[in-house]
Amino acid sequence: MRNPMAMNIINPGQSLLKKKPFSSSTMAPLTLDPDPPDIPSQIFSVISTHPKTWQKHPSILKLIPSISPSHVTSLYNLSLTPQIALDFSFWISQKPGFKHTVQSYAALLNLLITNNFVKASEKVVIFMFKSCYAVEDIRFVLDFLKRISGTDCEFKFMLSVRCYNTLLMSLSKFLLIDEMKSIYREMLEKMVPPNIYTFNTMVNGYCKVGNVVEAELYVSKIVQAGMSPDTFTYTSLILGHCRNKDVDNAYRVFRLMPRKGCRRNEVSYTNLVHGLCEVKRLDEAIELFKKMREDDCWPTVRTYTVIICGLCGQGRKVEALKIFDEMLEKGCQPNVHTYTVLIDCLSKENKLNEARKLLSGMLEKGLVPSVVTYNALIDGYCKEGLMEAALEILGVMESNKCSPNARTYNELICGFCKMKNVHKAMALLNKLLERQLTPNLITYNTLIHGQCSVGHLDSAYRLLHLMKESGLVPDQYTYSVFIDSLCKRGRVEEASVLFDSLKDKGIKANEVIYTALIDGYCKAGKVDNAHALLERMLVDDCLPNAFTYNALIDGMCKEKQVQEALLLLKKMVKVGVNPSVETYTILIEEVLKEGDFDHANRLLDQLAFSGLCPDVFTYTAFIHAYCSIGNVKAAEDLMVKMSEEEIVPDLVTYTLLIRAYANLGLIYSAFDVLKRMSDAGCEPSHHTYALLIKHLSEKRWMKENNNLVGLYLVSNATFADVWKMMEFDTALELFEKMLEHGCAPTVNTYGKLIIGLCKVGRLAVAQRLFDYMRERGISASEDIYNSLLNCCCELGMYDEAVRVVDGMIEHGHLPHLDSIKLLLGGLYDKGNKEKADAVFCNLLSCGYNDDELAWKILIEGLLNKGHVDRCSELLGIMEKKGCQIHSLTYTMLIEGLDAT
């Protein structure tokens, strides 16, 4: 019997033993990375044998690319002479790609100090302070200093004022203010007199964190010591005031500088410009920026970047690009941050081609984009659903040795979930874990929302359990997603139970959660329950918003309670909640259903009187009403008005017009609308094409038959009937008409037809269309493949389904696991074990999330269908392949196997 694993994320077969760190030093214990033992000993051997010529020895030259700081640290702990150790330290530091660490410097200092190399030790200490690249480095240094200057140390080392100043600067860099204060006190205790650099570093450190009061105490110490504050002092004070958003006092210091005989420099200006941008006084910042030259100061790359960032932050992209061009003209080269700000701004405004050009420009100039730069562009592509482009940027990022972070994956996961491609989003969870990054609340919430949006509530609940197991606490958003999803699927009672449990979970229901449940009750026809929940919401001190009232108004309208809905509108205004465009549109739509155009127009006037503008949904409601009574001219007049008001018609708007023209027998005009739709970049839906196919079928029937009963059946066919009756020749006629009107069939056209046919089991016609499409050089989308796969499985055509899966994998597409679940079950039922195993093994190389594979295939597909032995075998395959199965999933599998 298997034992459930207790780790959060397990990799079957990996060792649970941890290697213990070791340390070795005569004075200060140093933590070393595990090293190949031969490299330090080889270096030591060459140096010992050839003390004067070792630098040119072939053996040591051959080792250079392999020498790391940890090797050097180990070398210094061998019996090297201090002078040779110093020589080696300088020699290796000159080699490309090598950088000393605080650990390697500390090992060298142990050797130098014990041999009384005082002057050299001071230089090395300064190098060590300057090589602190992380907080951990500086903390290591502080601990090391305690050891070499402690009372119990045989060889004490005294820091000079220069050493102390360099250390203070390093501490200031990481905003370690308490440690700075402690080091300053140590200077005084050890009778090391501070100089102007000491005081200025203290002033600057406190100003960086906005503690101007403490900084000014050190300014007074400058004066007490008989010195004068200088440009650096005042510039730091400007920074401090700006950090506190106190720009007026920053200005006061700025104006004081010339009176105190201090020249204002580029940093003084930049600090104040940045402060003004931070408090949204952007025009003042630009004025100050322009005055720099009058003071014989020239903007630096940081000054330009601060202004560009401020402009981008206020949506003034054109001005930002103008400043960027000026920057280039003046010969000031933008840095990574400058480019990142612009790329982020352009990406947010959907100017993705321009953003991509800037990234290419960076790379051409040899600048190394940061993870923030790449993330900005990836986020832009993901928000527009351009996932291939987003993944391409990820590829560029990785090829340039820039490691993605958790945010990179969160943005990609969000993009795939938005496109309802949840399997690819889940696959990215695997990638995130493989890089030893930690999924956060955003990761899990996004995936839960994605699973819920495609109706996979079981998978969403499993993710919730994994989330809790990882130590994360679900928040309001997590539960609002579940409640909303349950309501949308008509499971309002379950949603209500979950809602009532929130208090025990320590979650206070907010307006989003209340609104989701109110909407759920309304859609279930339980308007009284919705009203009761609104009252409870008010009692709980949770204020309803326009969305809350809109849900209730919509519910009342659907129950034909229009007068009550209008009263609720008045009540809504009375309690201080402003109606939205959607509020009026709901009411307009309802009265138009009754043919009451006068009332609808009065509501439209009321909408305008409220300071609102009608949107595409408002106009579409009127267009729907006009089309329903055959008044296409009035509908077209509204289309013109929409164009004048720069309101873009949507899929529903165009489809309504197509239906109206088709109903009037004006097929040419219907295709003309399809052309307008195509030119506007609006993709037709299944319904759009079904309407056109239906009316083409009617014309064909009238031409070829005199059977009025048959004509009646065609004319009154539902959308499902259209796909059931559609023949391949009808599709060819559709394509011909489309070409006549200048809108060539696209992969979307073929996709909508194939998916429509597959939904009603018309696989033969769907496959003919698929082949016809491929013959014309159009590559099938993942949706097309998945619809064919699902249809094959539903019809029990498993061999054909296997061929579809092979084709998908060959073209880089992921089959839906729900279809694979049916396929494997069907193959096992028919005794075709070898083929089923082969399909499963192919899936393991496609990058699916391992947990999702286990949930869908092993638990839902095999265990629940009684294929216990097959489940156990496939679990064994996953273990051998090193799949990362979460302990909770693993436990579920074992319990399922044991139970049977």
Side-chain angles (χ1 to χ4, degrees):
M1 176 179 163
R2 301 174 191 271
N3 290 320
M5 301 185 185
M7 296 171 64
N8 272 348
I9 299 294
I10 62 167
N11 190 344
Q14 78 179 31
S15 173
L16 302 184
L17 298 176
K18 294 183 179 177
K19 294 180 181 177
K20 293 182 179 178
F22 63 92
S23 62
S24 172
S25 172
T26 55
M27 295 182 63
L30 304 175
T31 302
L32 307 181
D33 296 327
D35 295 323
D38 58 327
I39 292 181
S41 59
Q42 283 182 62
I43 298 170
F44 180 74
S45 176
V46 173
I47 290 174
S48 301
T49 312
H50 308 278
K52 293 185 178 179
T53 59
W54 60 266
Q55 295 177 357
K56 296 180 181 178
H57 197 280
S59 296
I60 212 162
L61 294 174
K62 189 178 177 182
L63 285 173
I64 288 173
S66 305
I67 299 173
S68 71
S70 60
H71 295 138
V72 175
T73 303
S74 298
L75 175 66
Y76 292 154
N77 287 312
L78 301 175
S79 301
L80 278 183
T81 66
Q83 189 56 55
I84 287 182
L86 272 171
D87 293 343
F88 183 83
S89 175
F90 177 76
W91 176 80
I92 193 64
S93 69
Q94 303 303 302
K95 303 305 170 190
F98 184 89
K99 273 188 180 180
H100 277 293
T101 63
V102 289
Q103 287 84 1
S104 61
Y105 278 128
L108 176 60
L109 282 166
N110 277 333
L111 189 59
L112 296 175
I113 293 167
T114 52
N115 287 278
N116 207 26
F117 273 58
V118 179
K119 286 188 178 178
S121 296
E122 183 174 327
K123 288 181 181 178
V124 173
V125 163
I126 289 170
F127 284 139
M128 180 169 68
F129 294 160
K130 289 181 177 179
S131 68
C132 292
Y133 299 109
V135 174
E136 293 75 24
D137 293 338
I138 197 74
R139 294 207 184 282
F140 173 90
V141 165
L142 291 173
D143 185 59
F144 177 77
L145 290 175
K146 284 179 186 175
R147 294 176 185 277
I148 63 172
S149 59
T151 53
D152 56 345
C153 187
E154 185 181 350
F155 302 95
K156 287 188 184 178
F157 178 74
M158 299 295 291
L159 296 179
S160 65
V161 66
R162 186 183 172 199
C163 289
Y164 273 116
N165 287 344
T166 310
L167 176 58
L168 287 170
M169 286 176 192
S170 293
L171 291 166
S172 174
K173 177 180 168 184
F174 296 105
L175 305 180
L176 297 173
I177 307 304
D178 290 340
E179 287 80 355
M180 286 180 71
K181 195 169 187 178
S182 176
I183 292 297
Y184 177 78
R185 285 174 180 163
E186 183 184 304
M187 284 182 72
L188 300 181
E189 288 167 7
K190 294 192 175 179
M191 307 294 287
V192 179
N195 58 22
I196 186 68
Y197 300 107
T198 317
F199 290 124
N200 273 345
T201 304
M202 295 301 293
V203 170
N204 187 250
Y206 279 107
C207 285
K208 278 180 178 177
V209 296
N211 191 344
V212 181
V213 174
E214 195 76 21
E216 286 177 338
L217 290 176
Y218 285 92
V219 174
S220 65
K221 291 178 191 293
I222 294 173
V223 177
Q224 288 167 14
M227 296 177 271
S228 298
D230 58 12
T231 295
F232 188 92
T233 320
Y234 289 115
T235 298
S236 294
L237 289 172
I238 291 169
L239 172 68
H241 286 303
C242 288
R243 288 279 160 92
N244 288 332
K245 313 290 186 196
D246 185 2
V247 180
D248 292 332
N249 264 320
Y251 249 129
R252 179 185 57 78
V253 175
F254 183 79
R255 286 191 286 264
L256 181 68
M257 287 177 74
R259 296 203 295 271
K260 293 291 184 178
C262 286
R263 179 182 174 273
R264 294 185 291 227
N265 62 15
E266 287 80 3
V267 183
S268 316
Y269 273 96
T270 303
N271 283 350
L272 188 50
V273 165
H274 187 229
L276 288 164
C277 289
E278 286 286 292
V279 296
K280 311 298 182 192
R281 289 161 63 173
L282 190 54
D283 291 328
E284 288 179 63
I286 293 168
E287 279 301 308
L288 187 65
F289 169 74
K290 290 176 179 176
K291 286 179 181 176
M292 286 181 73
R293 295 166 183 80
E294 297 172 13
D295 215 354
D296 200 24
C297 282
W298 302 96
T300 63
V301 61
R302 183 168 181 268
T303 323
Y304 278 112
T305 303
V306 163
I307 287 289
I308 289 168
C309 187
L311 288 165
C312 287
Q314 291 196 10
R316 294 160 68 172
K317 180 200 68 178
V318 175
E319 293 171 77
L321 289 169
K322 189 177 177 182
I323 295 286
F324 181 73
D325 291 337
E326 178 193 312
M327 182 181 185
L328 294 172
E329 287 170 14
K330 300 288 184 184
C332 182
Q333 289 304 312
N335 61 16
V336 171
H337 185 49
T338 321
Y339 277 104
T340 301
V341 167
L342 281 170
I343 287 170
D344 184 55
C345 176
L346 290 166
S347 297
K348 281 184 169 65
E349 292 196 5
N350 195 23
K351 305 290 183 184
L352 296 166
N353 289 335
E354 292 177 50
R356 182 66 194 268
K357 283 177 186 174
L358 280 178
L359 178 66
S360 299
M362 280 183 80
L363 294 169
E364 286 168 12
K365 289 183 177 181
L367 289 171
V368 181
S370 69
V371 67
V372 180
T373 320
Y374 288 112
N375 282 353
L377 195 47
I378 286 171
D379 186 46
Y381 282 124
C382 288
K383 280 186 168 59
E384 291 302 309
L386 301 169
M387 298 313 299
E388 285 187 19
L391 289 175
E392 187 186 334
I393 298 297
L394 178 67
V396 172
M397 182 180 187
E398 291 175 327
S399 67
N400 287 325
K401 310 295 184 214
C402 180
S403 296
N405 59 14
R407 182 168 181 177
T408 317
Y409 286 108
N410 283 345
E411 285 163 357
L412 288 165
I413 286 168
C414 186
F416 278 119
C417 286
K418 184 180 176 182
M419 301 302 293
K420 299 195 183 300
N421 202 332
V422 185
H423 292 319
K424 285 191 176 177
M426 289 292 292
L428 286 166
L429 181 60
N430 261 21
K431 296 285 185 189
L432 190 151
L433 293 168
E434 283 169 13
R435 286 188 171 271
Q436 299 189 343
L437 297 169
T438 305
N440 56 23
L441 195 61
I442 294 171
T443 317
Y444 281 109
N445 276 346
T446 306
L447 286 169
I448 286 168
H449 185 264
Q451 294 284 6
C452 286
S453 69
V454 294
H456 297 162
L457 261 71
D458 287 343
S459 295
Y461 275 117
R462 286 166 186 153
L463 280 167
L464 180 65
H465 292 313
L466 298 195
M467 177 182 177
K468 291 176 179 176
E469 187 72 11
S470 301
L472 296 169
V473 180
D475 60 3
Q476 287 176 326
Y477 180 81
T478 319
Y479 289 110
S480 71
V481 168
F482 277 106
I483 289 169
D484 185 54
S485 186
L486 287 166
C487 288
K488 280 184 167 61
R489 276 151 190 81
R491 294 160 62 175
V492 70
E493 295 308 322
E494 285 181 63
S496 181
V497 170
L498 180 57
F499 176 87
D500 290 336
S501 73
L502 292 183
K503 190 173 182 182
D504 293 335
K505 292 177 172 38
I507 302 285
K508 181 176 170 56
N510 60 9
E511 69 277 7
V512 177
I513 295 173
Y514 270 107
T515 301
L517 189 53
I518 285 171
D519 188 50
Y521 277 129
C522 287
K523 283 184 169 54
K526 298 181 177 182
V527 178
D528 291 341
N529 296 62
H531 270 293
L533 194 58
L534 178 64
E535 294 303 319
R536 179 175 164 184
M537 187 177 182
L538 294 167
V539 170
D540 285 350
D541 225 10
C542 182
L543 297 177
N545 55 25
F547 295 104
T548 319
Y549 282 104
N550 288 347
L552 198 47
I553 288 169
D554 186 52
M556 294 166 79
C557 286
K558 282 184 171 55
E559 294 297 310
K560 304 301 176 185
Q561 300 174 11
V562 179
Q563 292 306 315
E564 291 86 344
L566 290 167
L567 287 173
L568 186 60
L569 172 64
K570 290 179 181 177
K571 184 178 179 181
M572 176 181 177
V573 174
K574 195 174 181 181
V575 297
V577 178
N578 292 324
S580 64
V581 177
E582 186 189 0
T583 318
Y584 288 105
T585 302
I586 291 166
L587 291 163
I588 287 169
E589 197 172 35
E590 189 57 35
V591 297
L592 284 172
K593 284 178 186 175
E594 303 300 321
D596 194 344
F597 283 89
D598 290 339
H599 192 174
N601 280 307
R602 286 199 301 275
L603 285 167
L604 188 63
D605 292 340
Q606 197 175 333
L607 182 154
F609 184 75
S610 301
L612 300 168
C613 296
D615 62 11
V616 62
F617 303 106
T618 318
Y619 280 113
T620 300
F622 278 98
I623 288 169
H624 187 191
Y626 284 124
C627 288
S628 297
I629 58 173
N631 191 348
V632 184
K633 183 183 182 305
E636 287 285 18
D637 288 343
L638 277 181
M639 291 287 281
V640 173
K641 190 174 182 183
M642 285 173 73
S643 178
E644 289 169 354
E645 294 179 10
E646 296 184 352
I647 296 170
V648 181
D650 66 5
L651 170 66
V652 177
T653 323
Y654 284 116
T655 302
L656 286 168
L657 275 175
I658 288 171
R659 184 170 69 181
Y661 280 119
N663 284 339
L664 293 170
L666 303 171
I667 295 293
Y668 187 90
S669 297
F671 275 97
D672 182 53
V673 175
L674 186 71
K675 167 64 174 164
R676 286 153 60 187
M677 189 177 187
S678 174
D679 290 345
C682 182
E683 292 284 6
S685 68
H686 300 90
H687 292 336
T688 316
Y689 286 116
L691 283 166
L692 292 167
I693 290 166
K694 177 183 174 183
H695 289 284
L696 287 174
S697 299
E698 276 183 29
K699 276 205 162 187
R700 173 176 284 198
W701 188 272
M702 289 171 69
K703 187 177 181 181
E704 297 176 358
N705 301 279
N706 293 318
N707 186 339
L708 292 177
V709 175
L711 178 59
Y712 175 81
L713 291 174
V714 174
S715 299
N716 291 279
T718 64
F719 286 126
D721 293 333
V722 169
W723 300 117
K724 286 175 184 175
M725 293 187 294
M726 177 187 154
E727 297 299 334
F728 180 70
D729 289 346
T730 315
L732 295 183
E733 189 180 353
L734 172 72
F735 300 156
E736 186 182 328
K737 293 285 184 187
M738 288 177 70
L739 287 167
E740 283 176 16
H741 285 76
C743 45
T746 64
V747 66
N748 175 69
T749 314
Y750 286 99
K752 295 301 186 248
L753 299 189
I754 290 169
I755 292 167
L757 289 163
C758 286
K759 280 182 177 178
V760 295
R762 299 288 306 286
L763 183 61
V765 182
Q767 284 178 322
R768 282 191 72 184
L769 273 173
F770 178 80
D771 294 337
Y772 186 80
M773 173 186 70
R774 296 283 298 277
E775 286 165 11
R776 273 140 193 80
I778 299 175
S779 298
S781 67
E782 191 168 288
D783 285 343
I784 292 174
Y785 273 114
N786 271 311
S787 64
L788 289 167
L789 173 60
N790 188 65
C791 189
C792 289
C793 293
E794 292 285 353
L795 295 173
M797 300 172 64
Y798 301 118
D799 289 339
E800 181 61 31
V802 171
R803 284 192 286 275
V804 174
V805 169
D806 291 341
M808 290 190 77
I809 292 173
E810 183 185 338
H811 289 90
H813 297 308
L814 288 182
H816 285 168
L817 292 179
D818 287 321
S819 297
I820 295 294
K821 176 175 68 178
L822 293 175
L823 173 57
L824 293 185
L827 288 170
Y828 284 132
D829 284 340
K830 289 185 176 295
N832 203 337
K833 178 181 178 301
E834 292 75 15
K835 193 167 280 189
D837 290 352
V839 169
F840 185 75
C841 288
N842 280 341
L843 292 181
L844 293 180
S845 62
C846 291
Y848 285 95
N849 175 264
D850 296 328
D851 281 308
E852 195 174 32
L853 270 176
W855 299 338
K856 294 282 185 184
I857 307 300
L858 302 189
I859 296 172
E860 292 178 15
L862 299 180
L863 273 182
N864 292 354
K865 299 295 182 184
H867 294 290
V868 180
D869 292 341
R870 302 290 81 81
C871 178
S872 185
E873 287 172 11
L874 296 189
L875 176 58
I877 291 171
M878 290 186 76
E879 289 175 334
K880 284 178 185 174
K881 294 272 188 183
C883 295
Q884 290 190 324
I885 305 173
H886 197 284
S887 57
L888 281 178
T889 305
Y890 200 88
T891 302
M892 287 169 64
L893 281 165
I894 302 310
E895 288 175 352
L897 288 167
D898 289 346
T900 51

